[in-house]
Amino acid sequence: MITGAGSGIGREVATLLGSQGARLALADCNFTQVSAVADEIRSVGGNAVPLAVDITNESDVERMLTEAESAFGSLDGAFNNAGIAAAGSYSFGTAITDIDIADFRSMVDVNLIGMFLCLKHELKSMNRPGVSIVNNASAAGLIGITNGAPYVAAKHGAVGLTKAAALEGARNGIRVNSVCPGFVESPMLLDHATEEGKESRRAITPIGRLGQPSEVAELVAWLLSPVSSFMTGANIPIDGGLSVGAQR
């Protein structure tokens, strides 16, 4: 099961796993987008079911899992990817002193509470050895970013949530890890950054470029597979060196 599967990293993970023969429950708040992704996967012989979900609504999350299990019988893995980088009047570049509390809450609701609700019900319904869950926690969960407080705070929470869930899941043979992407050429970045903003993100990334969704997808696929069977509780940066520190 993949949340936020309608675009960006979620879409890339879906198409990669579909090409590898996975049966996919694809969830997104934009049903039109996620249906198009499912259609694309089915057009080349894959197996995908689109689902509409608001991950901040607990009954929606429960229904998502029920419908996914109804389609496939059981779930072996999940990628909790859905997230936002802007809310209301807030976008990256806004100082703490200028952030409206409602916008801050919206960022936390989607990026942290939504992930919590997904984990809560995944750990209930997927409670058996061999299950792998991957969260999208972001490099912003490992470092501070000037004028990005709501996103940074929520993603730091996601890193901690991953660690806590990994310890609880380990008792039942369930693995929980997270990927921590840096600046990636996905709609989350491209739709909310000016050309100057994109260039500044390239400039502060030690490797000197933005990441590609396909690069993150390969890591997610590896973490979902049995090849990574001795790894749990890890929060893995895939950020071109961003979380290591600034070059001089």
Side-chain angles (χ1 to χ4, degrees):
M1 184 173 67
I2 302 169
T3 64
S7 64
I9 292 171
R11 181 185 185 281
E12 199 70 31
V13 171
T15 55
L16 175 62
L17 295 180
S19 72
Q20 296 174 344
R23 297 180 299 164
L24 302 168
L26 306 180
D28 201 285
C29 62
N30 188 323
F31 188 68
T32 300
Q33 281 190 342
V34 79
S35 294
V37 176
D39 287 343
E40 180 183 339
I41 291 168
R42 289 194 293 257
S43 72
V44 292
N47 191 343
V49 173
L51 304 171
V53 64
D54 172 3
I55 62 167
T56 68
N57 183 314
E58 186 163 11
S59 62
D60 246 27
V61 172
E62 289 182 281
R63 176 184 52 77
M64 173 182 70
L65 280 155
T66 298
E67 290 181 1
E69 290 175 334
S70 175
F72 298 123
S74 64
L75 291 170
D76 304 304
F79 179 37
N80 297 320
N81 167 70
I84 57 173
S89 62
Y90 169 79
S91 61
F92 260 104
T94 306
I96 290 174
T97 52
D98 296 326
I99 297 170
D100 185 86
I101 184 62
D103 296 339
F104 191 99
R105 286 195 175 110
S106 293
M107 294 290 290
V108 172
D109 279 347
V110 177
N111 293 322
L112 181 57
I113 303 300
M115 183 178 291
F116 157 71
L117 290 174
C118 288
L119 280 169
K120 174 182 176 179
H121 292 284
E122 287 159 2
L123 290 171
K124 282 182 179 180
S125 66
M126 301 163 66
N127 188 14
R128 63 185 187 284
V131 164
S132 177
I133 299 171
V134 180
N135 298 323
N136 194 344
S138 174
L142 304 174
I143 60 174
I145 300 176
T146 305
N147 296 337
Y151 192 75
V152 168
K155 291 300 187 177
H156 270 68
V159 165
L161 186 59
T162 298
K163 293 177 181 180
L167 291 173
E168 295 184 26
R171 295 179 297 218
N172 297 317
I174 300 168
R175 298 187 299 113
V176 185
N177 295 287
S178 87
V179 293
C180 298
F183 299 119
V184 173
E185 287 195 45
S186 69
M188 183 176 284
L189 171 63
L190 300 178
D191 292 350
H192 299 288
T194 63
E195 283 303 319
E196 182 182 2
K198 294 170 197 171
E199 185 52 43
S200 70
R201 287 160 172 78
R202 291 187 192 97
I204 65 173
T205 301
I207 209 169
R209 65 174 176 85
L210 301 177
Q212 296 299 313
S214 59
E215 294 174 300
V216 182
E218 292 286 353
L219 176 57
V220 173
W222 182 77
L223 287 170
L224 288 171
S225 79
V227 180
S228 60
S229 58
F230 198 55
M231 179 172 284
T232 196
N235 294 280
I236 307 172
I238 177 165
D239 60 6
L242 182 67
S243 59
V244 177
Q247 285 186 322
R248 301 189 62 167

